[in-house]
Amino acid sequence: MHIRISTKLGYTAKLFGLAFVLNFLWELAQKPLYIVGTFPPFPLGWIRASLWDAVYILLVYLVLAAMHDDFYWLRRKNIWDLFFIIFAGFITATIVEIQALSLGKWFYAGAMPIVPILKVGLTPFLQLPLMSFLVYWIMRNKFARYYE
């Protein structure tokens, strides 16, 4: 089956746009849980963070597409893909949070729940795995016409 490049670009743009919007909403929701350090203030900092999150979700998608040699790998259900998405999200979020906290980019307000042992905030720890899964789930169900 031959798929036009414009279709792949459209699919990629939809995935990136959806990832940006959902992550921006998540960032807004968790705003009261943070104290800004050297990170740019609202809204610039939150836009920048949401762009980074969207790029991350797109890169994970493209890595899995390359691993499967199938740009539309979402059409197949695979428990190992889900494990990879969630595990990579937890690891990446933990590394980003530990680095940002150590550099003073941001701090946690008293209301931020903390993940024991890791000492990172619960909402940022959950963000990448949950938002990645949600974006891929929506793309799989809403834009299934791309697979045909």
Side-chain angles (χ1 to χ4, degrees):
M1 173 167 81
H2 179 63
I3 298 173
R4 294 187 335 250
I5 289 183
S6 61
T7 303
K8 288 182 180 180
L9 288 175
Y11 190 83
T12 303
K14 283 177 176 45
L15 189 145
F16 183 82
L18 179 63
F20 174 78
V21 168
L22 291 178
N23 277 286
F24 188 72
L25 293 173
W26 182 284
E27 296 291 350
L28 288 177
Q30 68 178 354
K31 184 177 180 282
L33 302 175
Y34 281 96
I35 299 168
V36 176
T38 61
F39 197 69
F42 182 80
L44 182 60
W46 277 255
I47 292 170
R48 188 170 110 182
S50 300
L51 284 171
W52 186 96
D53 297 333
V55 167
Y56 168 84
I57 290 171
L58 178 60
L59 287 176
V60 169
Y61 181 86
L62 294 173
V63 164
L64 285 167
M67 287 171 56
H68 290 297
D69 194 27
D70 180 7
F71 187 79
Y72 298 106
W73 59 268
L74 280 176
R75 68 181 157 219
R76 294 178 282 137
K77 292 181 181 177
N78 184 328
I79 191 70
W80 296 110
D81 291 342
L82 179 60
F83 176 76
F84 177 82
I85 292 162
I86 291 172
F87 184 73
F90 284 140
I91 296 297
T92 304
T94 301
I95 291 168
V96 167
E97 285 299 302
I98 289 171
Q99 182 182 27
L101 291 167
S102 70
L103 294 174
K105 289 187 176 187
W106 56 73
F107 307 94
Y108 298 141
M112 173 70 82
I114 303 297
V115 177
I117 300 171
L118 298 175
K119 305 292 187 221
V120 297
L122 180 62
T123 62
F125 180 71
L126 295 174
Q127 183 176 356
L128 288 177
L130 289 179
M131 290 295 103
S132 297
F133 174 79
L134 183 59
V135 167
Y136 300 150
W137 184 82
I138 291 170
M139 292 299 293
R140 175 187 167 87
N141 293 297
K142 177 82 172 138
F143 299 107
R145 65 183 154 92
Y146 282 94
Y147 309 143
E148 298 165 358

